[in-house]
Amino acid sequence: MDLDVFVTAHRTEWDRLDHLLHRGRRLTGAEADELVALYQRTATHLSLIQSSAPDPLLTARLTQLVARARSTVTGTRKASWRDAARFLTAGFPAAVYRSRHWWVPTAVLSTLLAALIGWWIGTHPEVQSAIAAPDDLRRLTRPGGEYETYYSSHPAASFAAQVWTNNAQAAAMCLVLGAFLCIPVIYILFVNVLNLAVGIGLMSSAGRLDTFLGLVLPHGLLELTAVFVAAGTGLRLGWTVIDPGPHTRRSALAQRGRAAIGMAIGLALVLFISGLIEGFVTPSGLPTWARISIGIAAELAFLAYVYILGGRAARAGDTGDLDAGGRSAELPSAA
């Protein structure tokens, strides 16, 4: 492409579009139609220049022009309660459902790994001695020890808020850092698995695994599921960098990234619920069976939410991405 010839041929159209945009709402019907046509042509011109003869100054000018035109043509869209309701009943569960082929294997493998490492720690005294001194291990695992008092050592409300904040940060990091070829996600996931495995191993070696599970399961089922969903989605985002599929890498990452940001908000709500359970149910005086039943009920409710509402929304075409009016238009990458 001869860039000078191209600019000479189309400069008049760009200047006319700029003039119409400055007119704003004072356009006639014919001028409004002309603005739409010029917007579409200028968007195509921008795509051609980007793919064939990239020029930073010209690209910047046309990008700004196309953005202004798009804003004028589509209007400014404000979020509403209807959008929030749609997100909670369709967008978020659909995104979780669509990524199930990533987070379900992540959950299964992580649970098996935690059980295996926990067994290794619990059956090898030399490994336990490498973790802490014998007196420290007894303080952790004895009746009324630190594993038990951890959940009641602070006021329930502040403890729930602290747990929620920490878990939400971990989930958000899994979602955001997944784009770095999955490596940070694997590290965060392994740290969580290792912490769980150490508790399993040390408490089982003390003959108190039932007590440990009675403390962990009420909130841990939902909490760990949320972490696994975040990790699986982060891994999916990282794999998109490697294999974007039929889309361009930029387009595929944009789509997956927007869905991941939405999932971060949804998972924060899920972790808020698990934080309430951890702050108020886990340290309560309820029988162990009752506390575990509450945790199982919360987990089953979340899975039903994902597989029923999310499955229905996904089959209807919802991807968890923004709707067409809320995301940037995709331009052809070649002439």
Side-chain angles (χ1 to χ4, degrees), residues 115 188 266 286 289:
I188 294 171
L286 291 173
W289 67 264

Side-chain angles (χ1 to χ4, degrees), residues 36 55 117 119 160 216 223 240 244 271 289 302 308 310 328:
V36 172
D55 178 87
I117 296 176
W119 168 83
V216 170
E223 177 185 298
T240 300
L271 289 168
W289 67 264
F302 177 71
I308 296 175
S328 300

Side-chain angles (χ1 to χ4, degrees), residues 85-167:
R86 180 194 166 279
F87 169 74
L88 291 176
T89 58
F92 171 59
V96 178
Y97 179 82
R98 284 181 173 273
S99 63
R100 68 192 185 282
H101 297 302
W102 286 87
W103 64 262
V104 170
T106 298
V108 172
L109 292 175
S110 297
T111 303
L112 292 175
L113 182 61
L116 179 62
I117 296 176
W119 168 83
W120 179 58
I121 293 173
T123 55
H124 290 75
E126 68 275 12
V127 177
Q128 299 166 31
S129 62
I131 294 174
D135 289 343
D136 293 331
L137 293 178
R138 279 191 290 273
R139 278 196 295 270
L140 285 171
T141 59
R142 65 179 174 81
E146 293 180 18
Y147 270 122
E148 292 183 44
T149 59
Y150 168 75
Y151 297 102
S152 56
S153 57
H154 300 284
S158 61
F159 182 69
Q162 179 183 354
V163 167
W164 173 55
T165 301
N166 292 339
N167 289 332

Side-chain angles (χ1 to χ4, degrees), residues 249-328:
R249 182 168 284 101
R250 179 179 178 181
S251 174
L253 271 176
Q255 180 182 348
R256 300 275 192 250
R258 287 190 299 263
I261 291 173
M263 288 181 71
I265 298 172
L267 289 176
L269 297 176
V270 175
L271 289 168
F272 177 73
I273 296 172
S274 74
L276 290 179
I277 297 173
E278 188 168 0
F280 292 92
V281 175
T282 298
S284 71
L286 291 173
T288 300
W289 67 264
R291 290 185 280 111
I292 293 178
S293 296
I294 291 173
I296 292 174
E299 174 74 0
L300 291 177
F302 177 71
L303 293 177
Y305 168 71
V306 169
Y307 278 87
I308 296 175
L309 286 183
R312 183 185 306 153
R315 287 188 291 272
D318 201 321
T319 63
D321 194 4
L322 297 173
D323 58 28
R327 59 179 183 259
S328 300

